[in-house]
């Protein structure tokens, strides 16, 4: 592919160059995948308002997220097993994000550990926490994030119970992949991935192996992981984590105005409107559809970000116009990572940045921070009249 012009071009290369089970892991949702699909299709229902004869010199996409300067209001979302999409994937993504001037968020379920990324990233990153039953593990990993100088803790609230993703079960997804005949045959068609994977020691969940009690190999890692997501994660536990962390706190997985108010009450510096990319509760509303009601519920008392469904700079613009102060991309940068490594993540960010800048200009806007509801046209029934 000689010319890459959009995120879909990266997705095409990604599918060719990444083992099937990891492509399917990223490109899937739970159950019927209704929410997964609507996360993107609902963006298409919003139109942009073209304005002309405006001063478009000195344009800027710069903003801040939780007080940190960003080149555009886009952060890289936490994605589990990123180091299987491309060997050392978390390190490559963190470096690309740092160079571009946007935040990178490391998942608890990363292949490269907190310490791995801290040793190779030129700037502090954010760390995403899955709350586990093992409180000693949770306490220790929070302390590890602090020692690594992570500048924010992102607590995911919508994975107390793991949603079922049919493709993962059918593929027998594991990290690293089991060397079954179908897996071996598929990996043989991805020679660059295979050679890079052989060259790195990072091939399992390094935040967990050697840190959680009794977890020393793939067998007991799988058993530990399947049992550890905490169904007793309550607002009281969130408060405990907030107090223990003591730094900037972002709560991810908010999809309801009442929960947004609760998140504000426990002192969140920001909330992320997210349905886990459609990978948890299938049948839930898309993130962009519920964004306006959540922004209305919290006002300017906490920053509201949007995650799930962003595939372009125009999607970023629409989210900002509907009240988000920032956005998160997951699959969009994973496509780039799997396609071209660190350069692919940079390419994904360049595509989104260029689309945001040009679309912003054609809407008559000089600065991303000035985007608001008057710059988009939204169907009267967009949020729906649900009872």
């Amino acid at each position: 592919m000689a010319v890459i012009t959009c995120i879909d071009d990266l997705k095409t290369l990604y599918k060719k160059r990444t083992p099937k089970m990891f492509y399917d892991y990223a490109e899937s949702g739970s159950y019927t995948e209704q929410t997964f699909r609507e996360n993107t299709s609902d963006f298409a229902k919003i139109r942009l308002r073209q304005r002309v004869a405006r001063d478009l010199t000195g344009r800027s996409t710069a903003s801040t997220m939780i007080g940190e300067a960003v080149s555009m209001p886009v952060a890289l979302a936490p994605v589990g097993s990123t180091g299987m999409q491309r060997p050392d994937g978390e390190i490559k993504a963190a470096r690309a994000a740092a160079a571009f001037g946007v935040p990178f968020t490391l998942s608890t379920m990363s292949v490269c550990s907190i310490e791995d990324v801290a040793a190779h990233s030129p700037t502090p990153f954010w760390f995403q926490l899955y709350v586990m039953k093992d409180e000693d593990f949770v306490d220790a990993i929070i302390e590890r994030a602090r020692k690594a100088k992570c500048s924010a803790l992102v607590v995911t609230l919508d994975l107390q119970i793991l949603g079922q993703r049919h493709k993962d079960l059918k593929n027998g997804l594991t990290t690293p992949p089991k060397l079954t005949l179908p897996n071996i045959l598929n990996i043989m068609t991805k020679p660059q991935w295979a050679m890079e994977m052989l060259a790195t020691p990072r091939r399992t969940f390094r935040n967990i192996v050697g840190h959680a009690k009794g977890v020393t190999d793939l067998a007991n890692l799988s058993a530990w992981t399947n049992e550890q997501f905490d169904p007793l994660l309550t607002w009281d536990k969130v408060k405990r984590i907030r107090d223990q962390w003591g730094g900037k706190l972002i709560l991810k997985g908010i999809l309801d105005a009442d929960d947004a108010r609760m998140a504000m009450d426990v002192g969140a510096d920001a909330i992320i409107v997210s349905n886990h990319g459609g990978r948890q509760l299938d049948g839930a509303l898309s993130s962009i559809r519920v964004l306006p009601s959540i922004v209305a519920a919290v006002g300017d008392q906490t920053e509201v970000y949007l995650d799930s469904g962003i595939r372009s700079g125009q999607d970023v613009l629409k989210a900002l116009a509907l009240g988000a102060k920032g956005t998160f991309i997951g699959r969009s940068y994973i496509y780039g990572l799997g396609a071209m490594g660190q350069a692919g993540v940079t390419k994904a960010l360049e595509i989104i940045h260029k689309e945001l800048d040009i679309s912003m200009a054609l809407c008559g806007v000089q600065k991303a921070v000035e985007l608001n509801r008057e710059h988009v046209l939204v169907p009267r029934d967009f949020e729906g009249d649900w009872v």
Side-chain angles (χ1 to χ4, degrees):
M1 187 176 293
V3 179
I4 295 172
T5 61
C6 61
I7 295 297
D8 274 349
D9 287 346
L10 290 174
K11 181 179 174 182
T12 298
L13 289 176
Y14 166 58
K15 187 173 185 179
K16 290 179 181 178
R17 296 174 180 178
T18 305
K20 181 179 184 297
M21 70 163 57
F22 298 118
Y23 173 85
D24 284 350
Y25 169 77
E27 196 59 16
S28 63
S30 61
Y31 293 133
T32 69
E33 300 189 336
Q34 177 188 19
T35 301
F36 167 64
R37 293 189 299 272
E38 290 181 355
N39 275 336
T40 53
S41 64
D42 280 351
F43 271 102
K45 297 174 183 177
I46 303 169
R47 299 292 190 268
L48 304 180
R49 188 180 178 197
Q50 178 176 301
R51 303 303 302 274
V52 297
R54 304 292 181 93
D55 179 3
L56 301 180
T57 61
R59 295 191 311 280
S60 173
T61 60
S63 186
T64 60
M65 296 177 70
I66 60 164
E68 297 181 15
V70 294
S71 62
M72 62 177 174
V74 175
L76 271 57
V79 179
S81 296
T82 294
M84 288 288 115
Q85 302 292 345
R86 190 81 169 209
D88 297 338
E90 291 90 358
I91 291 171
K92 292 169 181 173
R95 284 174 165 172
F100 208 88
V102 298
F104 169 75
T105 316
L106 182 70
S107 171
T108 295
M109 304 304 295
S110 60
V111 174
C112 300
S113 68
I114 297 170
E115 293 79 10
D116 290 331
V117 178
H120 292 87
S121 176
T123 60
F125 54 94
W126 298 350
F127 178 68
Q128 175 267 339
L129 175 69
Y130 282 129
V131 182
M132 305 295 191
K133 294 177 185 176
D134 185 342
E135 290 191 354
D136 289 340
F137 173 81
V138 172
D139 292 347
I141 204 167
I142 290 173
E143 185 57 31
R144 289 167 59 200
R146 181 181 291 108
K147 287 182 178 178
K149 295 182 170 49
C150 293
S151 56
L153 185 69
V154 180
V155 180
T156 295
L157 301 176
D158 61 355
L159 202 85
Q160 292 175 262
I161 303 293
L162 188 65
Q164 179 168 308
R165 302 127 195 190
H166 298 332
K167 292 175 186 175
D168 291 349
L169 293 174
K170 290 176 179 177
N171 287 330
L173 177 73
T174 59
T175 297
K178 293 179 181 176
L179 295 181
T180 62
L181 181 59
N183 287 343
I184 292 171
L185 293 175
N186 181 251
I187 290 171
M188 287 173 64
T189 68
K190 321 292 180 185
Q192 184 175 4
W193 182 94
M195 288 188 292
E196 289 184 11
M197 189 58 71
L198 286 172
T200 179
R202 304 177 182 99
R203 292 192 288 266
T204 191
F205 295 120
R206 286 165 63 97
N207 278 328
I208 297 171
V209 173
H211 296 281
K213 295 172 187 173
V215 178
T216 57
D217 57 29
L218 184 59
N220 48 41
L221 170 62
S222 297
W224 185 90
T225 303
N226 291 336
E227 295 172 356
Q228 278 296 320
F229 291 108
D230 190 357
L232 286 174
L233 174 57
T234 63
W235 292 112
D236 285 340
K237 266 192 183 173
V238 175
K239 290 177 184 176
R240 173 184 176 272
I241 291 167
R242 175 203 64 194
D243 293 342
Q244 181 181 357
W245 171 245
K248 295 286 187 179
L249 179 69
I250 303 172
L251 298 182
K252 180 176 182 288
I254 303 296
L255 211 64
D256 185 275
D258 288 341
D259 286 339
R261 294 185 188 97
M262 293 295 294
M264 184 178 60
D265 289 344
V266 301
D269 295 284
I271 60 174
I272 305 175
V273 178
S274 173
N275 53 42
H276 217 98
R279 294 168 61 77
Q280 283 295 97
L281 180 60
D282 189 39
L285 293 175
S286 68
S287 294
I288 190 63
R289 191 182 285 245
V290 301
L291 175 64
S293 64
I294 291 176
V295 170
V298 302
D300 59 0
Q301 297 178 70
T302 192
E303 293 189 2
V304 178
Y305 306 145
L306 182 127
D307 166 77
S308 303
I310 290 178
R311 303 289 186 274
S312 70
Q314 289 199 337
D315 292 342
V316 173
L317 188 158
K318 292 172 183 179
L320 298 176
L322 291 188
K325 298 301 181 186
T327 59
F328 280 71
I329 57 170
R331 293 180 175 95
S332 291
Y333 91 80
I334 290 295
Y335 299 158
L337 178 68
M340 300 163 54
Q342 182 174 330
V345 179
T346 300
K347 188 65 177 178
L349 290 168
E350 289 173 346
I351 288 168
I352 288 174
H353 181 267
K354 185 176 182 179
E355 289 178 352
L356 173 60
D357 176 57
I358 291 175
S359 300
M360 193 173 75
L362 295 176
C363 289
V365 180
Q366 281 185 322
K367 301 182 187 305
V369 293
E370 297 172 351
L371 285 163
N372 59 54
R373 181 63 179 75
E374 73 175 35
H375 298 117
V376 291
L377 300 169
V378 184
R380 295 186 188 278
D381 62 347
F382 181 68
E383 293 183 67
D385 186 14
W386 310 96
V387 294

